[in-house]
Each structure stands twice: as C-alpha cells, then as structure tokens.
C-alpha cells in the first residue's frame, strides 16, 4: 500500500513568488493535514482538510491557503513568499480521528 | 495554549543501554498521545499511539510508552537500545480543543554509539 506522497521534493523560490505543494493521502484516508517544520521552531500545524472542507488552521497568515480535491488529495499554496517561509512542509493523512501518517515532505528554500 | 515539552534536546547512549525520553503536555481534558520517529534522511514514522484503555502502550521496534494522567506525561521507553535507534523522536498530543491538529514537542535527538 502506498504511503503519503508529496511533490515536489525540493523547491527554490525567490521572495514575493508564489508556490504550490501537492499531497496524495493514503488510500481510504479522508483527512489531510499540513505542517511546517522550520529550523529551530519544530513542527507547527498549518491546515487540516477533511471531506473537501477546511476544518481548522494554525496560527499562520492568510497567504497560506490550500484545498482538498474530491479524490482527497490536497494542495498547499503560499503567496508572497518571505525568507522565513523556508522550511520542510509535511503532509499527513488519517482516517477521521485516527493516527496521522506523514509523507517525506517538500523542502522549500526562499532566496 | 496547549503545549508539549520534551525535556531532553539530545541524548547520547551506548548500545544496550536503557532509554527513557520524557514528554509532558499542558491540557486538562481528553488527549490522544503519539510518539513519532524520524530516522536520518527519512520521513516521520508513527512509533506508537495512545487513545484510551491500557496506559502502557507498546509500539514498533520494542518501544513502549506509559500515559500517566496525573502527571500529564507520556514517556517513551526502550529496555535496550541499538545503533539503529539513532534518530529524532517527537512527542505529539491531539486535544479536542485543537480540533484534530497535532501539537508537537520540539523533539529529542538520540545518538547511540556501538
């Protein structure tokens, strides 16, 4: 069974640009979560989608947004990139209320 | 605000030594508790989880954790570590108040020498 897959694995962008990250959950999982793992800040919750709806979001500005598609895959969009957005972005999926399983992440570098 | 504290930033052990990594959380209500492991160059993997029932939880690779509600703790243990246990370990908590988001501790790096 395939795990959570994320693309791309690495991205380099410049300040002010926009980026889209993608995530495919484990088959049968309806919930998708996005986390940011920045150096020195640990893992911080960004967004939670379930059944196509945004259910909760962490303490991040509105330029972090996303969506979930009918096949439960998800996109994370970050607009107006700032240097401090450089981080590993992790996607996790779960059955509603179950344990979360993580993908390998997308490493974003903002120059 | 809810938080998770992992007491040790870096633990260094020799093979066959016993391991205990501390984890405390700040939330008075019902919690689900998790330990994740991140081996060098690999992604986060779920080590074990506690939802309800027996507070002593057994996970993969010989790890176990004990939920002590009165101490708000969920410490990770292994009787005898191996070199292959070298990794970063994260404790995480899910509370009703935070929806189903996980609140992570900052992680503990375990280095095991052979």
């Amino acid at each position: 069974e395939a795990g959570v897959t994320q693309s791309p694995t690495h991205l380099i962008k410049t300040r002010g640009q926009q980026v889209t990250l993608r995530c495919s959950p484990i088959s049968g999982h309806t919930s998708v979560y996005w986390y940011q793992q920045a150096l020195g800040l640990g893992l911080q919750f960004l967004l939670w989608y379930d059944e196509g709806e945004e259910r909760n979001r962490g303490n991040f500005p509105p330029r972090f947004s996303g969506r979930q598609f009918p096949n439960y895959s998800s996109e994370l969009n970050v607009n107006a990139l700032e240097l401090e957005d450089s981080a590993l972005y992790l996607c996790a999926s779960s059955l509603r209320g179950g344990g979360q399983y993580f993908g390998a992440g997308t490493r974003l570098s903002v120059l | 605000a809810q938080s998770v504290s992992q007491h040790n930033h870096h633990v260094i052990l020799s093979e066959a030594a016993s391991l205990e990594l501390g984890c405390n959380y700040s939330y008075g209500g019902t919690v689900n508790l998790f330990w994740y492991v991140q081996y060098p160059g690999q992604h986060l993997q779920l080590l074990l989880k506690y939802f309800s029932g027996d507070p002593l939880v057994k996970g993969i690779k010989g790890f176990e954790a004990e939920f002590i509600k009165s101490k708000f703790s969920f410490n990770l243990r292994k009787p005898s570590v191996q070199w292959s246990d070298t990794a970063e370990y994260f404790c995480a908590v899910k509370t009703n108040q935070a929806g189903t988001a996980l609140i992570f501790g900052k992680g503990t790096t375990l280095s095991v020498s052979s």
Side-chain angles (χ1 to χ4, degrees):
Chain A
E1 180 184 292
V4 177
T5 56
Q6 292 186 243
S7 63
T9 53
H10 292 89
L11 266 177
I12 301 175
K13 293 284 187 178
T14 55
R15 285 178 59 192
Q17 284 189 308
Q18 177 265 342
V19 69
T20 298
L21 312 181
R22 295 178 175 81
C23 172
S24 292
I26 291 171
S27 178
H29 286 189
T30 59
S31 283
V32 169
Y33 312 80
W34 288 96
Y35 293 86
Q36 184 195 65
Q37 189 176 20
L39 203 60
L41 295 178
L43 277 145
Q44 297 183 80
F45 167 67
L46 265 164
L47 289 159
W48 167 39
Y49 292 95
D50 182 68
E51 298 283 356
E53 301 278 335
E54 182 181 302
R55 302 295 184 181
N56 201 0
R57 66 179 293 129
N59 189 24
F60 282 84
R63 58 191 186 83
F64 286 84
S65 65
R67 54 180 173 166
Q68 186 178 33
F69 298 98
N71 67 353
Y72 304 115
S73 67
S74 177
E75 284 182 352
L76 173 69
N77 298 295
V78 188
N79 294 321
L81 283 166
E82 300 179 2
L83 296 178
E84 53 264 34
D85 297 333
S86 294
L88 181 67
Y89 289 84
L90 293 169
C91 173
S93 74
S94 78
L95 296 169
R96 183 90 185 259
Q100 296 179 23
Y101 295 85
F102 284 78
T106 294
R107 174 78 58 189
L108 173 64
S109 298
V110 182
L111 306 178
Chain B
Q2 297 85 30
S3 65
V4 177
S5 298
Q6 292 183 240
H7 314 299
N8 309 101
H9 180 62
H10 194 181
V11 172
I12 302 171
L13 295 173
S14 300
E15 273 196 321
S18 64
L19 169 72
E20 181 160 2
L21 301 182
C23 173
N24 286 88
Y25 63 93
S26 62
Y27 183 69
T30 302
V31 292
N32 298 147
L33 298 156
F34 306 82
W35 276 97
Y36 284 87
V37 61
Q38 190 168 28
Y39 297 103
Q42 296 187 28
H43 61 276
L44 275 170
Q45 297 175 43
L46 182 61
L47 205 50
L48 48 78
K49 60 189 176 190
Y50 171 81
F51 277 51
S52 63
D54 188 345
L56 185 61
V57 179
K58 295 196 183 298
I60 60 172
K61 305 188 181 189
F63 286 91
E64 65 178 30
E66 185 175 13
F67 171 46
I68 303 179
K69 190 174 180 180
S70 61
K71 294 185 178 180
F72 301 92
S73 70
F74 190 55
N75 291 354
L76 181 70
R77 300 195 292 246
K78 186 171 183 179
S80 175
V81 295
Q82 301 172 312
W83 177 81
S84 57
D85 293 324
T86 295
E88 191 158 14
Y89 293 81
F90 294 91
C91 179
V93 171
K94 189 179 80 173
T95 73
N96 291 336
Q97 195 164 4
T100 66
L102 288 175
I103 304 165
F104 282 87
K106 294 224 183 277
T108 297
T109 301
L110 172 65
S111 299
V112 180
S113 58
S114 56

